[in-house]
Amino acid sequence: MYSKFTSTIGESSVNRDIRRPDWMHIIRSQAFANLWYKSHRAHSNGLTVVRVRGTDELHVTGDWRTVFTEGRLTTR
């Protein structure tokens, strides 16, 4: 979700009217912070963090359902 939004609001020749690089950087920073928080939470609960990639990919080994609920919410 974050990566799609930042690609829409960032540097684009098509979307000149909504170009806001300041918003893009704020949103990307928040996305990275959320992802690193989730990786810390996974590690603290005994999961092995295999890969953290981009703004929205977290690969872990173990039973992740004990730590995270399945869905599209960005707040958990």
Side-chain angles (χ1 to χ4, degrees), residues 9-25:
I9 203 164
E11 297 290 330
S12 172
S13 60
V14 178
N15 297 325
R16 293 178 204 259
D17 296 336
I18 62 169
R19 184 176 164 267
R20 290 297 305 256
D22 54 336
W23 288 2
M24 181 185 67
H25 292 296

Side-chain angles (χ1 to χ4, degrees), residues 4-63:
K4 181 62 82 173
F5 184 70
T6 56
S7 67
T8 303
I9 203 164
E11 297 290 330
S12 172
S13 60
V14 178
N15 297 325
R16 293 178 204 259
D17 296 336
I18 62 169
R19 184 176 164 267
R20 290 297 305 256
D22 54 336
W23 288 2
M24 181 185 67
H25 292 296
I26 290 168
I27 291 166
R28 278 187 65 84
S29 297
Q30 185 62 51
F32 281 119
N34 288 349
L35 186 62
W36 282 102
Y37 169 74
K38 287 180 183 181
S39 66
H40 176 69
R41 184 173 161 199
H43 177 72
S44 297
N45 284 294
L47 298 176
T48 302
V49 177
V50 176
R51 186 177 197 179
V52 177
R53 183 174 178 197
T55 57
D56 55 1
E57 268 188 63
L58 175 62
H59 299 264
V60 297
T61 59
D63 188 14

Side-chain angles (χ1 to χ4, degrees), residues 38 41 64-74 76:
K38 287 180 183 181
R41 184 173 161 199
W64 59 269
R65 288 179 180 92
T66 60
V67 180
F68 301 108
T69 56
E70 192 169 358
R72 294 180 178 226
L73 294 176
T74 58
R76 294 184 190 175

